[in-house]
Amino acid sequence: MLVTDRKYPLCHDDDVTPNDPAGRYFANILDAIADPVFVKDEAHRWITLNDAFCRLMGHPREAMIGKSDPDFFPAAEAAVFREMDRAVLASGETNVSEEDFTDAQGVRHEIVTKKSLYVAEDGRKYIVGIIRDHTERLHHNAAQIARLEELDRLKDQFVSMLSHELRTPIHTIMGMTTILEDELAGPVSDEQRQYLSRMAGVTDGLLALVNDLLDMSLISSGQFVIHRRPIAIGEILTGVVGNLASLAAARGLTLVEDVPAELPAVVADEQRVGQVLANLVGNAIKFAPAGSAVTVRALHVPGALRCEVVDAGPGIAAADLPRLFKRFGLLDTKLTRATRGTGLGLSISKGLIEAHSGEIGVESEPGTGSTFWFTLPL
C-alpha cells in the first residue's frame, strides 16, 4: 500500500528513510517504469511522481510535489483535468481519456491518461494515474507520411520524364519499320517482312506501355488535363467496336453493340472516353472463352450515361474485386499469367472516369462472367 506517514510519500529516494526499504523499493520501481506515473491526494495535489512524469512535464520533481494542475496548466486545461479527478474520486471507476497539453518547453503532447482510485487503510483516497504519450509516434508517422508522399512525387516525376524520353526513339523505330515495309529503301523478302511485322507489333506494345506509364504519372500528380466538349457516346462506342472487331474475330468471339437510337449528349473528352471503352472491351476479349459474345452497351440512367461491357469469362472472386482498379493490380490466375499485361489499364480508366466526375466499377462472380461499367454525368 502507499506509505502516507511522510509529507510527500514515495516522491524521491531522499524522502525515504533507511528504515523504510519497502518504500525505497517501491520508489525505484516507479522510476523504472517508462510511462509517466503520478499519484494525487483528495486535494488534487501530486504526492508521488516518477521520473518519466517529470520528463513529460519538463519540471523537476521538487517543483511539482504538493502542487496541482492549475499551477502548471492554463485554466481551461486544468479545469478539465480537475473534473476527471473528481469523477474518479466520486465514482471509484477507472477513467480513460485522450488529452492534449503543453509542456514547459511549449511542446504540445497528445496523451492517453488512465486514472484509478486507491483507498488506503486509513480511508484516505488517492488518484493513481498512468499516461501513454503518443506525441512522438504521431510525429514519426507524420514524418513517414511526408517522406512517402515525397518519394511518390519523385517517382511520378521520374516515370513522366522517362516516358517522354522513350517516346522519341520508339517513334523513330516505328517510322523506319514503316519505311522498310513499304520498300522505300529497297526490296524486302518474305522472311524479312515477317521480321518487320513482329518488330512493328512489339514496338506498338512498347509504345502503349510508355503511354500508360505517362498517363498514370499525370493522373497521380494531378497534372492530367481533360478536354471537354459535347460528344455522342454511341459514336464512340461504335468506333471502338469497329476497331476491335478483327481482334475479337481472331479469338472466335462476337462483339455485340447495344446502343439505343437516341441518347443525350454528354460533355466529356472524346479521346479519353474512347480509351476507357477500348480498355474494357480489350480486357473482355482477353478473358472471354472462344465461341462466346462480348456485349458493349450504352444506356441512359438518371442524371448520367452508363456504359457496360459484358463478357462470359471466368468471373472474379469477391475478395479480388478491390484490387482490380489499383495500379499494377494483376490477379494471379492462370488466365492473367497467360495474357500478361501491366495492370495499369483499369487504374488509368478509373482515373480518367473520376476526372470526369463519373464512377467506374465491376459486377462479377466466379463462373458467371463480368460486367465492367462506368457512368458519365449529364
Side-chain angles (χ1 to χ4, degrees):
M1 72 175 195
L2 288 175
V3 181
T4 59
D5 56 350
R6 293 188 307 280
K7 187 176 181 182
Y8 308 122
L10 302 180
C11 62
H12 194 271
D13 285 349
D14 295 341
D15 298 307
V16 183
T17 66
N19 296 324
D20 186 12
R24 183 184 298 276
Y25 180 70
F26 181 52
N28 289 338
I29 290 177
L30 279 182
D31 283 341
I33 296 175
D35 288 326
V37 178
F38 62 85
V39 178
K40 290 181 177 180
D41 61 16
E42 292 180 77
H44 307 279
R45 296 172 302 187
W46 288 304
I47 62 171
T48 298
L49 312 171
N50 72 344
D51 285 344
F53 186 83
C54 296
R55 289 193 297 270
L56 176 67
M57 291 288 292
H59 294 284
R61 182 183 278 105
E62 57 270 16
M64 291 183 289
I65 290 296
K67 295 183 180 179
S68 58
D69 294 315
D71 297 313
F72 297 93
F73 299 111
E77 291 183 7
V80 172
F81 300 156
R82 180 66 59 90
E83 189 58 36
M84 294 174 182
D85 291 349
R86 290 196 185 102
V88 173
L89 290 170
S91 67
E93 296 181 357
T94 297
N95 180 299
V96 179
S97 61
E98 296 183 4
E99 305 158 358
D100 294 346
F101 84 94
T102 304
D103 64 19
Q105 283 72 43
V107 177
R108 195 70 179 168
H109 292 263
E110 298 185 39
I111 61 174
V112 176
T113 304
K114 179 179 179 181
K115 295 179 179 178
S116 303
L117 180 67
Y118 173 79
V119 181
E121 291 181 356
D122 58 8
R124 284 186 284 183
K125 296 179 179 180
Y126 299 90
I127 300 168
V128 180
I130 301 176
I131 296 175
R132 179 61 55 87
D133 187 3
H134 292 303
T135 307
E136 184 175 345
R137 177 179 62 82
L138 292 172
H139 288 172
H140 177 70
N141 289 347
Q144 268 193 324
I145 292 172
R147 176 60 177 161
L148 290 174
E149 289 175 346
E150 175 64 10
L151 289 175
D152 200 45
R153 185 190 66 80
L154 291 174
K155 178 262 300 174
D156 287 334
Q157 188 178 44
F158 172 75
V159 170
S160 177
M161 179 193 69
L162 184 64
S163 300
H164 280 295
E165 293 298 323
L166 286 175
R167 279 175 137 185
T168 299
I170 290 174
H171 282 299
T172 300
I173 294 172
M174 294 175 72
M176 291 182 176
T177 302
T178 301
I179 290 173
L180 293 174
E181 286 181 322
D182 293 343
E183 297 186 335
L184 298 179
V188 176
S189 68
D190 291 340
E191 183 179 5
Q192 290 171 331
R193 191 172 298 281
Q194 290 180 4
Y195 293 147
L196 289 172
S197 177
R198 293 178 186 176
M199 184 187 301
V202 171
T203 309
D204 287 342
L206 184 58
L207 181 61
L209 171 59
V210 169
N211 287 335
D212 282 350
L213 289 172
L214 182 59
D215 282 347
M216 194 70 257
S217 67
L218 291 174
I219 291 172
S220 298
S221 62
Q223 299 176 13
F224 195 80
V225 178
I226 294 294
H227 301 284
R228 301 173 186 269
R229 68 178 184 85
I231 60 174
I233 196 71
E235 294 179 4
I236 298 176
L237 191 149
T238 299
V240 169
V241 170
N243 291 336
L244 295 176
S246 58
L247 176 62
R251 295 181 59 87
L253 301 172
T254 302
L255 283 184
V256 178
E257 184 180 340
D258 181 8
V259 182
E262 293 185 3
L263 283 175
V266 63
V267 178
D269 188 317
E270 181 176 1
Q271 178 187 352
R272 295 307 186 176
V273 173
Q275 180 181 345
V276 174
L277 269 171
N279 188 4
L280 298 184
V281 176
N283 280 348
I285 292 173
K286 284 182 183 180
F287 298 109
S292 66
V294 174
T295 300
V296 190
R297 67 167 63 102
L299 57 154
H300 184 192
V301 297
L305 286 181
R306 178 180 170 110
C307 294
E308 298 179 346
V309 178
V310 186
D311 66 62
I316 305 165
D320 291 329
L321 292 178
R323 296 168 49 196
L324 284 178
F325 294 95
K326 295 182 178 180
R327 281 185 283 183
F328 309 106
L330 285 172
L331 305 184
D332 188 18
T333 68
K334 183 178 180 180
L335 277 175
T336 56
R337 287 192 294 270
T339 57
R340 293 176 291 179
T342 62
L344 287 174
L346 289 178
S347 177
I348 292 171
S349 297
K350 182 176 186 291
L352 294 177
I353 294 301
E354 290 180 349
H356 285 83
S357 301
E359 296 180 341
I360 189 168
V362 58
E363 299 164 3
S364 183
E365 292 181 6
T368 63
S370 303
T371 298
F372 283 84
W373 58 269
F374 66 86
T375 61
L376 295 172
L378 295 177

